[in-house]
Amino acid sequence: MTRTLCSALLAMAVIASAQAQFAPAVDTAASLSVPERYALTNATVLDGRGGPAQRNRVIVIEAGRIAAIGRSAPHGLQVYDLKGATVLPGLMDAHVHIADFAAMRKALDQGVTTARSMGVPKFTDVGLRDLARAGAVAGPELFAAGYHFYPRPPETFFTDFPQFAEVLSGGLKGADLMGRIAEAQLARGIDWIKVNATARASQPGDDPAQVLYGEAEIAALVRAGASRRVHVAAHAHGDDGARDALRAGARSIEHATFLSDATIALAKARGAYLVPTAVTVKNLATSTSDRIPETSRILGRRMWPALQRTVAEAHRAGVMLVAGTDTAYTPTNRLGIADEVAVLAEMGLSPAEALAAATINAADMLGIGHRTGAVAVGLEADLLVVRGDPLADLSTLKTPLMVISDGRIAVDARENK
């Protein structure tokens, strides 16, 4: 994300949070229906694993999991008649900046049942994650990264970690210091470590290829997370930074704008994932809105062709691509995960491959493919219900009929319920 756009998104999140303090309290959990055992009938099932559509199926959900997929519903169950609508895995947004309850709810309403936070202040994502897991707040399952590693942390970093006051004058750099800060963040419960391997891309005069952290420094973060099975995500627009991050053991490369064929081949060899956040870059390149500074639009027009090439080459090489929007799901955000899936399809992925980037590929990257990311017996009931065939028309993802998260019904927009 560009610094200008990131700042704007964070500012909007702060304003929304401030307004919420003076608004009537909203019961964010009460709208989630939690029947212990129920059935979705007359369903067309896309399992998310590449299998053919299964028509006229009944999905039995019990205690938050898919208990059965068959032809008939057991007697006495509460029944939700889907009338032929398609059931597919809930969507995953692997790069978000969600910062409050309203954003959690908005993401869930758009079909996001799992999300990975890539940087918010004050460990807000850790708190939101725990509230959602407890069922106290309606939102996706959230994986938290806390503060990302950047040479000049925000002021809130120092109020959370006054023991690292030396960073105020010396900057956040050096393998030893970064390892110690990683340990401190891990103690606060983060699920991922995010590092800015290259500079942000804020305006045309900036150099997003500038390397901020080298292989040794990123390797220190990888070592710190390894004992807890916490992986490193590396923000890297530039090729040198992405290459260093991959050599150090980063699991995912965020943005990946200017990658060479050699670095793409390295990502494939290392089993790493690329999260291109393509919809945000395309929006910068094509927007005519005066809400986006002209400098950002110019930068977007530079980045967009390079990112298109990276995605095409990575796809051709068989690198795992994962969907992420790089948005905050604030009230003013127009873009969501359905838009990212559509843009990936525009960039050459098949509709099934684009959907996989937001389901099974993301689940694999997050290490949760054994429990979610597909429609199969025994997995968590993280489900999206849409009208029609999403493989024929990806726009159906933008208007969910139902969203089910851990068996809890978050959205039910069916007619004649």
Side-chain angles (χ1 to χ4, degrees):
M1 177 184 288
T2 67
R3 184 181 302 165
T4 302
L5 183 59
C6 183
S7 297
L9 289 174
L10 287 175
M12 287 186 285
V14 169
I15 291 169
S17 296
Q19 290 172 337
Q21 293 180 33
F22 300 99
V26 176
D27 187 347
T28 57
S31 57
L32 294 187
S33 174
V34 195
E36 176 64 19
R37 193 163 185 253
Y38 62 96
L40 307 175
T41 63
N42 296 318
T44 300
V45 176
L46 287 177
D47 65 11
R49 293 174 170 168
Q54 305 171 57
R55 304 189 186 281
N56 300 315
R57 292 300 194 270
V58 173
I59 303 173
V60 177
I61 296 171
E62 183 173 2
R65 292 185 175 271
I66 300 172
I69 301 175
R71 291 287 189 178
S72 60
H75 181 71
L77 289 192
Q78 181 172 346
V79 169
Y80 297 83
D81 187 354
L82 301 189
K83 301 179 180 179
T86 301
V87 180
L88 63 153
L91 302 179
M92 300 187 184
D93 191 335
H95 193 121
V96 302
H97 297 277
I98 289 173
D100 57 31
F101 293 175
M104 289 281 280
R105 178 78 233 196
K106 182 175 180 179
L108 186 62
D109 287 347
Q110 293 188 13
V112 178
T113 57
T114 306
R116 184 181 59 158
S117 171
M118 286 281 95
V120 292
K122 303 295 295 180
F123 294 100
T124 302
D125 50 2
V126 173
L128 290 172
R129 177 199 67 196
D130 292 348
L131 287 166
R133 285 179 179 173
V137 170
E141 178 180 6
L142 193 63
F143 288 81
Y147 289 97
H148 61 250
F149 282 77
Y150 190 72
R152 298 179 303 280
E155 288 185 9
T156 54
F157 171 85
F158 299 100
T159 58
D160 276 324
F161 294 118
Q163 68 269 37
F164 296 115
E166 64 194 273
V167 175
L168 276 167
S169 57
L172 205 174
K173 59 185 179 182
D176 178 68
L177 176 60
M178 291 176 70
R180 287 190 286 123
I181 292 175
E183 292 288 352
Q185 289 219 72
L186 288 162
R188 295 291 294 268
I190 63 170
D191 305 297
W192 278 77
I193 298 170
K194 183 191 175 185
V195 58
N196 279 55
T198 71
R200 294 165 174 159
S202 56
Q203 47 189 328
D206 286 350
D207 182 8
Q210 178 189 358
V211 174
L212 298 182
Y213 293 117
E215 182 178 343
E217 290 169 309
I218 299 173
L221 303 180
V222 172
R223 287 193 299 272
S227 63
R228 295 176 174 86
R229 298 183 180 178
V230 170
H231 296 289
V232 170
H235 162 113
H237 288 291
D239 188 60
D240 290 343
R243 184 186 63 245
D244 285 351
L246 290 167
R247 287 176 174 171
R251 187 171 177 85
S252 71
I253 302 296
E254 311 301 303
H255 315 304
T257 309
F258 299 105
L259 267 56
S260 66
D261 289 351
T263 300
I264 290 169
L266 180 61
K268 173 63 176 176
R270 294 296 177 93
Y273 301 78
L274 299 188
V275 187
T277 62
V279 70
T280 294
V281 178
K282 181 183 178 183
N283 186 55
L284 285 178
T286 60
S287 176
T288 58
S289 170
D290 56 11
R291 295 177 58 191
I292 298 177
E294 177 61 18
T295 53
S296 294
R297 296 200 293 268
I298 292 170
L299 182 65
R301 291 194 289 272
R302 174 190 167 201
M303 296 170 68
W304 178 232
L307 183 61
Q308 288 178 291
R309 180 200 169 279
T310 291
V311 170
E313 291 300 322
H315 181 225
R316 189 174 298 115
V319 177
M320 293 282 271
L321 294 165
V322 173
T325 60
D326 203 2
T327 63
Y329 286 93
T330 62
T332 56
N333 282 155
R334 295 186 304 105
L335 303 175
I337 190 62
D339 300 295
E340 176 73 4
V341 171
V343 171
L344 289 174
E346 291 173 14
M347 297 171 86
L349 279 67
S350 71
E353 290 169 333
L355 269 174
T359 53
I360 195 166
N361 290 6
D364 189 50
M365 183 187 75
L366 294 170
I368 57 174
H370 61 288
R371 60 179 176 84
T372 190
V375 184
V377 173
L379 296 189
E380 294 168 6
D382 294 331
L383 306 171
L384 180 65
V385 180
V386 299
R387 185 180 289 106
D389 180 4
L391 296 181
D393 181 6
L394 287 171
S395 70
T396 61
L397 301 178
K398 291 182 70 69
T399 53
L401 291 179
M402 296 184 77
V403 178
I404 300 171
S405 178
D406 280 332
R408 295 177 293 174
I409 299 171
V411 173
D412 187 357
R414 296 168 302 126
E415 298 177 358
N416 303 316
K417 298 176 187 176

